[in-house]
């Protein structure tokens, strides 16, 4: 069956090489049925064939990642049977969202391009095809990453296949994530620092209800350093993951993709009391308001986007998508008035996700507090920015999730790179740097306070000297040569996007360590206490019954012993405990930042794999942790068993 599947992928996949959907049409006069890969021009037709194959896998990629996560729930008797099967882990090979063929169609298009593109052509001293060639290799690596995420071990094919006889005469190796990384990463590494190709802006058409869109073509591709970081992160190789994320941020990223674009400065005009409940999670800077929802708006070329799959704007332009309709939008409606259709809603936010949103603390200026910051459990504000509640009749209210409203599947955003970097830094043994990405953003101001605490009565920075050396020398994100790219004026912690004043900046924009209640010891301590109460594996390792908000966790990070006067508290911790606590904070942040973008199950699997490899709480703590995360899905399989994480291969 595997060989038959690949054969079909080979024969049908090449079909898209010789055609272009209207959405990706160019003005070239070269005939589409015979584009040449040994000329300087028009190889973009082959690249667009790859992009068209990506459109074919978009819905499946999204649903495989979202339905098996803990952020959405099905609606009995309404939700499509295929989605319900994904959600409860009962999907069989008959499920329409289970098709390895779709990924191999992408791969075969890539293989054909890679095998035939002449990469030696020059214009002056510039290699004409380099950026495009590297981008196609990056897309192939992305497709293989999704295959091993969903199926565990898969046939590895790097040659373009055009006939069944090729399949039957070749015994392709079966590779898991370790094998895929070993085969692809060394080749990709030689292209580090290569930007994505840019064919200019594309007017991709208009919706039936009148809205049109122009997108910069580089957003259709995946930066090679980003996919390298993800391959290594998935494989628990944290040092290489950090290396390539830092390479992207320092060598490849532009002003638009380096820091969260909708926040122009860490200055925050706070409220003089608890903010009103209808506060939209916006950061107010002078007379300009950049809200979280801008990321998902029409003008998406500059807001937090690195790579996405854009589906056609109307049914005449090629492959259509079902994603908006599952959240209540008829994207292909004739008029804007018909866009909202509650009869279409098949997915709702999960109860556990709503609980996480509602119980998250918001940080605000205290009236008359001389710059002091308080907190209130009024919830993370990002949800209110992309969840639109509408009253359709006198007694009917519906919640529409807007992230898919423009028929776009996000693959990478600026926030993705920063949070994945935090995940890798944390597992590399630097939870303080990981927390800084949540809290303040890594910047010149934060790193200037990298000191050891000799006087516990003095409020000093929380970044250790070892961490400062790591991020300025070993991985030179904040080196002398690069630090100007990450000034405090354009840096902000990811958590601040929905939770207000998490950063330690006073009213005069001065960095003042300890200003906000959102501090490492306090927040990681709460999470660790939660883990202790939930999992016997954790409770058996640590005793934090007498946990106080006094910075003990920070001392552990520095490797300092507790003073003798404090030993009676019976407070035992290791850095491994802190790392697990910060990792679970990151898990929550993934939910708050990337909900309903199709990535949740992939994130949970990866974090579970980290925990299994750690061994601190036992060899299968990751499986136990994942099973607990997904218990509300009522899965038909025991998810503590890693063999049950995957879909049946077809």
């Amino acid at each position: 069956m595997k060989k038959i599947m690949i054969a079909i992928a080979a024969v049908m996949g090449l079909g898209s090489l010789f055609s272009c959907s209207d959405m990706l049409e160019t003005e070239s006069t070269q005939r589409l049925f015979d584009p040449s890969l040994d000329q300087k021009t028009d190889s973009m037709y082959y690249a667009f064939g790859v992009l068209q194959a990506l459109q074919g896998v978009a819905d499946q990629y999204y649903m495989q990642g979202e339905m098996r996560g803990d952020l959405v729930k099905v609606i009995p008797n309404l939700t499509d049977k295929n989605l319900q099967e994904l959600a409860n882990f009962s999907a069989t090979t008959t499920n329409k969202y289970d098709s390895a063929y779709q990924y191999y169609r992408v791969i075969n298009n890539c293989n054909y391009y890679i095998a035939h593109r002449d990469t030696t052509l020059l214009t002056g001293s510039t290699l004409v095809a380099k950026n495009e060639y590297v981008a196609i290799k990056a897309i192939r690596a992305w497709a293989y990453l999704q295959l091993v995420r969903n199926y565990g071990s898969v046939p590895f094919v790097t040659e373009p296949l055009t006939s069944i006889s090729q399949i039957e005469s070749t015994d392709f190796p079966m590779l898991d994530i370790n094998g895929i990384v070993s085969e692809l990463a060394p080749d990709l590494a030689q292209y580090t620092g290569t930007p994505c190709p840019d064919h200019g802006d594309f007017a991709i058409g208009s919706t039936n209800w009148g809205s049109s869109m122009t997108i910069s073509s580089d957003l259709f591709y995946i930066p090679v350093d980003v996919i390298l970081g993800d391959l290594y992160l998935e494989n628990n190789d944290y040092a290489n993951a950090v290396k390539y994320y830092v390479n992207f941020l320092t060598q490849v990223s532009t002003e638009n993709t380096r820091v969260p674009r909708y926040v122009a400065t860490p200055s925050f005009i706070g409220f003089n009391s608890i903010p009103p409940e209808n506060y939209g999670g916006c950061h107010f800077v002078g007379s300009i308001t950049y809200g979280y929802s801008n990321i998902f708006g029409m003008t998406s070329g500059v807001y937090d986007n690195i790579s996405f799959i854009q589906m056609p704007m109307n049914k005449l332009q090629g492959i259509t998508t079902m994603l908006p309709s599952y959240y209540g939008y008829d994207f292909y409606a004739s008029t804007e008035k018909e866009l909202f259709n509650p009869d279409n809603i098949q997915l709702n936010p999960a109860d556990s996700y709503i609980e996480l949103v509602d119980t998250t603390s918001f940080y605000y200026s205290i009236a008359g507090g001389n710059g002091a910051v308080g907190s209130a459990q009024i919830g993370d504000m990002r949800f209110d920015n992309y969840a639109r509640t509408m009253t359709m009749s006198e007694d009917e209210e519906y919640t529409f999730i807007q992230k898919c409203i423009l028929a776009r599947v996000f693959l990478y955003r600026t926030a993705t790179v920063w949070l994945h970097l935090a995940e890798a830094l944390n597992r590399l043994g630097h939870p303080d740097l990981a927390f800084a990405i949540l809290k303040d953003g890594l910047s010149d101001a934060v790193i200037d306070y990298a000191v050891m605490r000799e006087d516990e009565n003095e409020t000093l920075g929380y970044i250790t000297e070892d961490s400062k050396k790591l991020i300025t020398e070993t991985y030179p994100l904040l080196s002398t040569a690069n630090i100007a790219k990450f000034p405090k004026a354009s840096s902000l912690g990811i958590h601040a996007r929905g939770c207000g004043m998490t950063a330690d900046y006073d009213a005069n924009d001065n960095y003042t360590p300890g200003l906000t209640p959102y501090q490492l010891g306090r927040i990681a301590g709460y999470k660790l206490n939660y883990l202790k109460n939930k999992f016997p594996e954790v409770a058996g390792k640590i005793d934090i019954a007498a946990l106080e908000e006094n910075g003990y966790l920070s001392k552990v990070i520095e490797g300092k012993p507790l003073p003798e006067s404090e030993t009676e508290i019976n407070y035992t911790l290791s850095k491994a405990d802190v790392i697990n606590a910060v990792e679970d904070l990151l898990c929550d942040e993934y939910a708050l930042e990337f909900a309903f973008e199709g990535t949740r199950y992939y994130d949970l699997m990866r974090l579970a794999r980290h925990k299994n490899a750690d061994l601190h709480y036992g060899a299968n703590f990751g499986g136990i942790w994942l099973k607990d995360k997904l218990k509300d899905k009522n899965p038909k399989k025991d998810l503590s068993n890693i063999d049950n994480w995957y879909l049946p291969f077809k």
Side-chain angles (χ1 to χ4, degrees):
M1 286 300 295
K2 292 175 184 175
K3 289 186 176 181
I4 292 173
M5 182 282 302
I6 301 175
I8 295 172
V11 176
M12 298 192 67
L14 284 176
S16 67
L17 287 170
F18 299 99
S19 63
C20 231
S21 71
D22 292 340
M23 180 188 133
L24 298 172
E25 206 169 352
T26 72
E27 295 181 357
S28 170
T29 58
Q30 181 161 337
R31 299 178 69 179
L32 292 181
F33 62 80
D34 189 24
S36 176
L37 285 172
D38 60 1
Q39 301 296 317
K40 292 182 181 181
T41 59
D42 289 326
S43 70
M44 73 175 66
Y45 284 112
Y46 283 86
F48 289 165
V50 173
L51 299 180
Q52 188 179 15
L54 277 178
Q55 290 177 331
V57 81
D59 280 20
Q60 174 175 293
Y61 160 78
Y62 181 99
M63 286 305 176
Q64 287 175 337
E66 200 63 53
M67 293 310 303
R68 293 180 292 168
D70 58 342
L71 307 182
V72 297
K73 65 180 181 181
V74 301
I75 304 173
N77 303 319
L78 285 179
T79 303
D80 180 274
K81 180 176 178 289
N82 294 283
L83 300 184
Q84 294 193 49
E85 290 175 350
L86 284 177
N88 65 21
F89 291 82
S90 66
T92 67
T93 55
T94 63
N95 192 287
K96 77 173 184 177
Y97 291 112
D98 177 14
S99 174
Y101 150 71
Q102 294 289 354
Y103 291 110
Y104 278 105
R105 185 169 179 262
V106 175
I107 290 166
N108 203 46
N109 277 265
C110 294
N111 286 344
Y112 189 90
Y113 179 100
I114 292 166
H116 296 287
R117 182 57 170 138
D118 185 347
T119 60
T120 65
L121 298 171
L122 294 170
T123 296
S125 60
T126 302
L127 289 169
V128 174
K130 180 184 176 183
N131 290 13
E132 190 177 85
Y133 181 80
V134 173
I136 298 303
K137 283 194 169 186
I139 290 174
R140 181 177 66 175
W142 176 88
Y144 268 120
L145 177 58
Q146 309 322 312
L147 280 169
V148 293
R149 280 173 165 174
N150 286 298
Y151 302 106
S153 296
V154 297
F156 184 67
V157 186
T158 57
E159 60 188 87
L161 305 177
T162 57
S163 70
I164 292 177
S165 62
Q166 284 182 275
I167 304 293
E168 294 176 342
S169 63
T170 307
D171 186 16
F172 295 107
M174 297 291 292
L175 300 183
D176 60 8
I177 182 60
N178 298 322
I180 292 297
V181 172
S182 296
E183 289 288 342
L184 295 180
D187 175 62
L188 291 171
Q190 66 182 307
Y191 304 112
T192 182
T194 303
C196 290
D198 189 351
H199 306 300
D201 290 346
F202 273 69
I204 62 171
S206 301
T207 62
N208 293 331
W209 34 275
S211 294
S212 60
M213 193 182 308
T214 299
I215 295 177
S216 176
S217 59
D218 62 324
L219 294 172
F220 297 149
Y221 299 98
I222 299 170
V224 64
D225 288 285
V226 172
I227 192 60
L228 272 167
D230 267 20
L231 286 170
Y232 283 118
L233 185 62
E234 196 83 24
N235 200 34
N236 301 331
D237 185 342
Y238 309 118
N240 271 316
V242 171
K243 173 184 175 180
Y244 288 106
Y245 292 135
V246 169
N247 281 358
F248 171 76
L249 290 168
T250 57
Q251 299 177 27
V252 183
S253 66
T254 64
E255 185 180 355
N256 287 346
T257 57
R258 188 173 298 128
V259 294
R261 187 68 176 101
Y262 70 91
V263 177
T265 169
S267 297
F268 184 91
I269 301 175
F271 297 92
N272 290 326
S273 61
I274 297 176
E277 290 187 2
N278 64 354
Y279 168 66
C282 299
H283 295 275
F284 298 92
V285 184
S287 61
I288 304 173
T289 300
Y290 293 104
Y292 183 73
S293 59
N294 284 103
I295 292 174
F296 314 102
M298 285 291 194
T299 55
S300 59
V302 296
Y303 293 122
D304 207 60
N305 294 318
I306 294 173
S307 176
F308 55 70
I309 303 172
Q310 177 63 54
M311 304 302 286
M313 301 294 283
N314 59 65
K315 293 181 179 180
L316 299 177
Q317 290 182 299
I319 302 168
T320 57
T321 177
M322 292 290 294
L323 298 183
S325 67
Y326 289 138
Y327 294 107
Y329 294 97
D330 185 357
F331 183 73
Y332 301 108
S334 298
T335 66
E336 188 169 7
K337 184 178 181 180
E338 298 171 320
L339 176 63
F340 300 96
N341 187 347
D343 293 336
N344 285 345
I345 296 177
Q346 297 191 42
L347 301 175
N348 279 329
D351 296 342
S352 59
Y353 168 69
I354 295 300
E355 181 181 6
L356 172 64
V357 170
D358 289 345
T359 58
T360 298
S361 294
F362 187 92
Y363 301 90
Y364 62 94
S365 297
I366 297 176
N370 297 318
V373 177
S375 66
Q377 205 173 75
I378 63 171
D380 186 280
M381 300 299 170
R382 280 168 281 197
F383 178 68
D384 289 336
N385 259 242
Y386 58 75
R388 180 171 181 176
T389 301
M390 298 182 67
T391 301
M392 308 301 290
S393 64
E394 184 175 336
D395 57 353
E396 290 183 308
E397 188 175 84
Y398 298 91
T399 298
F400 298 86
I401 302 299
Q402 294 185 266
K403 283 194 174 182
C404 293
I405 190 173
L406 295 177
R408 179 176 301 155
V409 176
F410 296 92
L411 301 184
Y412 293 101
R413 299 199 274 111
T414 301
T416 315
V417 174
W418 279 106
L419 288 177
H420 283 191
L421 173 61
E423 183 183 325
L425 285 168
N426 182 53
R427 278 294 173 184
L428 197 58
H430 297 270
D432 50 342
L433 291 175
F435 189 74
I437 290 172
L438 293 178
K439 179 183 182 301
D440 299 295
L442 286 176
S443 69
D444 50 0
V446 174
I447 209 67
D448 283 345
Y449 281 87
V451 294
M452 300 293 283
R453 296 166 194 77
E454 298 299 339
D455 182 354
E456 62 182 277
N457 294 319
E458 185 179 3
T459 301
L460 299 174
Y462 59 95
I463 305 298
T464 68
E465 290 288 357
D466 284 346
S467 291
K468 178 178 181 179
K469 183 176 181 180
L470 182 91
I471 208 65
T472 58
E473 298 178 18
T474 309
Y475 305 103
L477 182 80
L478 300 180
S479 66
T480 302
N482 291 322
I483 199 166
K485 298 176 181 178
F486 306 97
K488 69 172 185 177
S490 60
S491 298
L492 198 73
I494 300 297
H495 197 61
R497 289 180 149 185
C499 298
M501 301 177 69
T502 66
D504 285 326
Y505 292 100
D506 64 18
N508 296 316
D509 225 11
N510 297 313
Y511 187 71
T512 310
L515 178 68
T516 173
Y518 190 73
Q519 300 294 331
L520 176 57
R522 180 173 182 264
I523 303 303
Y526 288 156
K527 178 57 71 175
L528 196 54
N529 198 35
Y530 170 82
L531 292 172
K532 178 190 78 74
N533 292 329
K534 179 173 281 287
F535 298 106
E537 295 80 4
V538 179
K541 290 283 184 181
I542 60 175
D543 180 2
I544 53 176
L547 180 66
E548 297 178 5
E549 300 170 14
N550 55 9
Y552 287 168
L553 290 175
S554 298
K555 295 174 185 175
V556 173
I557 288 173
E558 296 168 3
K560 285 184 160 186
L562 298 179
E564 290 184 7
S565 61
E566 296 170 350
T567 56
E568 62 189 43
I569 297 177
N570 192 27
Y571 185 86
T572 6
L573 275 178
S574 70
K575 182 182 279 189
D577 294 311
V578 181
I579 288 171
N580 272 282
V582 170
E583 186 168 78
D584 276 50
L585 291 176
L586 289 170
C587 181
D588 289 348
E589 200 67 30
Y590 286 140
L592 297 170
E593 178 68 26
F594 303 122
F596 318 116
E597 293 183 38
T599 63
R600 184 57 172 174
Y601 185 62
Y602 305 131
D603 290 337
L604 293 177
M605 288 177 69
R606 188 179 64 253
L607 296 177
R609 191 176 291 112
H610 297 341
K611 295 177 189 299
N612 278 347
D614 178 23
L615 301 180
H616 182 60
Y617 298 134
N620 193 39
F621 178 63
I624 295 168
W625 176 87
L626 182 66
K627 179 179 180 178
D628 179 76
K629 279 285 182 184
L630 298 175
K631 63 181 184 298
D632 291 344
K633 311 286 287 193
N634 297 313
K636 302 296 184 183
K637 297 179 179 178
D638 177 9
L639 296 180
S640 65
N641 182 349
I642 193 171
D643 292 336
N644 292 329
W645 294 2
Y646 305 109
L647 291 166
F649 187 93
K650 71 167 184 178

